[in-house]
Amino acid sequence: MNNFQSNLEKYAELAVRVGVNIQPNQNLTVNASIEVAEFVRLVVKKAYEAGARNVYVEWSDESITRTRFELANDEALNDYPEWKARGLETLAENDGAFMSIISSSPDLLSGLDPKRIALATKAAGKALTTYRNYLQADKASWTVIAAASKDWAAKVFPEESPENQVHKLWDAIFETTRINEADPVEAWKLHNDNLHKKVEYLNNKRYSKLHYTATGTDLTIELHPTHTWVGAGSENEKGNMFMANMPTEEVFTVPLKNGVNGVVQSTKPLSYSGNLIDNFSITFEHGKIVSFSAESGEEVLKQLIDTDEGSKYLGEIALVAHDSPISQSGILFYNTLFDENASNHLAIGNGYAFCVEGGKKMSREELEQVGVNSSITHVDFMMGSAEMDIDGILEDGTREAIFCKGTWAF
């Protein structure tokens, strides 16, 4: 077996045994593109070997996706199959596990009318609200990983020859997911432990606010009195651990919905709905987005912010050291799964239930009452840099450094 095939096998094993941590007789649903079918077949094989009951694969095709947005009428774009949404809910309610293997081109839907794309995004968001709430409350195990595709690789490594682009992207995926370690599973356990040390420190501090400063950014974010910082591994309703994102370098929590004030400047492009939004700035007052601008993709950003009332507020704040392995790679992935783990980031939209004490058992209405934002969307954007300082502010007004010049101050 050559080195690439060996790494692919180890990556599939890691996704199954650490990502979703499949349990005997558990159903697994995999979402993936037909372009990465070879890797998907490996994942399916590893899942059955680990004891999965059934592995359901939901295939997508980028060419067909673009054709739909080019030719389908607006009424059709407003449709999302109810049977599909109910099926996902049923799987989640019965201890199903879910794996998304992302590989799409960042420019998949560039040049198309953002309003038409927004129609489909809203339709899917509304139909999948219950299912997504299950995942965001850790009812079921889920993970998001990546696989290299031709168009994505060409965007990341335009200077390389076409035959080398995909190879280089796979190498970058293997490196950032610790596949190159002697024992990737053990390496992830150690990484999980290290992130949990940051989590424990922040949870013991109980900061009431965070203050971010950098070029173009001066932002204060209030935290819920019973906020909980989380990092790396999560635990589902049955007590089984899983890793929601691979790679991951972040620790995160929820902001108080109405407690965000100031301005934030993006530091990396945001790939959203098949388009890139770049060099953008957002201003908040009492939690709400009151103005924004973007050098490119401004109309797409507008459609995101206008998705629903909750998409005008934040649902997540995440801390990532600028010297994280992904940042040190120097690669701009044009993919949020990777780029968010090279940079401090915020998320527009829905807040995670498990980031407040007792939140997993609360309804969305109860979560809203305690200041956790609700939305049919959740989109991360990057705003960290090597010059960013972040102060934690205690209830008595004492300020302590959390980040200094882009990295941890403790």
Side-chain angles (χ1 to χ4, degrees):
M1 184 185 295
N2 62 36
N3 191 53
F4 172 74
Q5 191 62 33
S6 174
N7 282 340
L8 213 59
E9 292 265 0
K10 288 194 289 184
Y11 186 39
E13 183 90 11
L14 187 73
V16 168
R17 295 193 179 270
V18 177
V20 289
N21 186 19
I22 204 72
Q23 300 296 302
N25 212 37
Q26 188 177 27
N27 290 316
L28 173 64
T29 301
V30 179
N31 289 280
S33 165
I34 59 172
E35 189 176 345
V36 296
E38 178 187 357
F39 176 63
V40 175
R41 293 183 190 112
L42 272 180
V43 168
V44 171
K45 180 173 180 286
K46 297 294 183 182
Y48 278 122
E49 288 175 350
R53 179 182 178 88
N54 290 297
V55 183
Y56 305 111
V57 180
E58 292 293 321
W59 295 105
S60 61
D61 178 273
E62 290 198 1
S63 177
I64 290 174
T65 298
R66 185 173 175 95
T67 298
R68 179 179 182 235
F69 284 105
E70 288 175 332
L71 300 179
N73 61 44
D74 287 355
E75 185 178 348
L77 295 177
N78 268 313
D79 292 339
Y80 188 90
E82 184 178 348
W83 59 267
K84 190 171 185 178
R86 298 295 85 77
L88 291 169
E89 289 172 20
T90 300
L91 287 165
E93 287 165 356
N94 290 278
D95 193 35
F98 302 86
M99 183 185 299
S100 293
I101 304 174
I102 58 175
S103 59
S104 63
S105 164
D107 299 314
L108 174 61
L109 303 179
S110 64
L112 301 182
D113 184 354
K115 293 179 181 178
R116 284 172 52 77
I117 299 169
L119 288 176
T121 301
K122 288 181 182 179
K126 289 176 181 177
L128 297 173
T129 294
T130 300
Y131 162 68
R132 288 176 176 172
N133 283 340
Y134 284 157
L135 299 194
Q136 292 184 354
D138 284 349
K139 180 178 178 64
S141 299
W142 57 282
T143 194
V144 182
I145 63 169
S149 65
K150 184 176 68 174
D151 288 346
W152 179 23
K155 183 72 175 181
V156 178
F157 299 109
E159 74 285 354
E160 296 288 333
S161 62
E163 59 269 23
N164 201 37
Q165 288 168 337
V166 172
H167 178 73
K168 284 205 69 170
L169 184 53
W170 269 121
D171 281 349
I173 291 171
F174 293 150
E175 182 66 28
T176 55
T177 54
R178 295 172 167 77
I179 296 303
N180 294 330
E181 300 279 350
D183 184 343
V185 172
E186 188 60 34
W188 271 91
K189 288 180 181 177
L190 179 61
H191 178 51
N192 187 42
D193 290 343
N194 288 335
L195 283 179
H196 273 125
K197 290 176 183 176
K198 303 296 186 186
V199 166
E200 288 172 10
Y201 178 91
L202 291 168
N203 281 334
N204 286 333
K205 281 292 182 179
R206 310 306 305 172
Y207 292 115
S208 63
K209 298 178 184 178
L210 301 184
H211 182 210
Y212 296 72
T213 53
T215 300
T217 294
D218 187 351
L219 189 71
T220 300
I221 299 178
E222 294 179 46
L223 302 177
H224 188 275
T226 64
H227 72 274
T228 300
W229 289 91
V230 180
S234 301
E235 186 177 302
N236 73 9
E237 195 173 56
K238 290 202 168 183
N240 296 317
M241 297 300 296
F242 66 95
M243 198 70 61
N245 288 346
M246 301 181 80
T248 183
E249 302 289 338
E250 66 178 312
V251 298
F252 61 95
T253 190
V254 291
L256 195 62
K257 178 178 178 178
N258 297 318
V260 183
N261 289 279
V263 61
V264 60
Q265 174 69 43
S266 70
T267 52
K268 292 179 182 290
L270 168 61
S271 177
Y272 174 70
S273 290
N275 288 269
L276 288 175
I277 309 168
D278 199 9
N279 194 20
F280 57 95
S281 179
I282 301 176
T283 300
F284 296 85
E285 289 182 6
H286 305 297
K288 190 173 185 177
I289 296 173
V290 293
S291 65
F292 60 89
S293 63
E295 190 174 285
S296 61
E298 185 169 287
E299 181 59 29
V300 180
L301 178 59
K302 181 180 185 301
Q303 295 300 323
L304 165 59
I305 293 169
D306 288 342
T307 300
D308 60 12
E309 183 60 25
S311 57
K312 298 172 177 63
Y313 296 82
L314 293 181
E316 178 191 346
I317 55 177
L319 304 179
V320 181
H322 188 70
D323 59 0
S324 75
I326 299 175
S327 181
Q328 288 181 326
S329 75
I331 299 171
L332 178 60
F333 285 89
Y334 297 98
N335 181 295
T336 301
L337 175 63
F338 290 85
D339 292 335
E340 74 170 4
N341 285 298
S343 169
N344 289 317
H345 55 275
L346 306 171
I348 290 172
N350 208 48
Y352 291 114
F354 52 79
C355 285
V356 292
E357 292 178 13
K360 288 186 180 183
K361 296 181 179 179
M362 294 182 188
S363 67
R364 283 316 300 188
E365 291 74 21
E366 290 170 328
L367 287 164
E368 287 184 63
Q369 288 173 8
V370 299
V372 178
N373 190 37
S374 288
S375 174
I376 61 173
T377 194
H378 178 100
V379 178
D380 298 276
F381 67 91
M382 288 60 72
M383 41 76 79
S385 68
E387 65 173 45
M388 176 163 279
D389 293 334
I390 305 173
D391 285 346
I393 304 173
L394 296 168
E395 195 65 44
D396 65 3
T398 303
R399 299 175 73 97
E400 298 177 348
I402 297 177
F403 266 56
C404 183
K405 301 304 178 187
T407 194
W408 294 102
F410 62 85

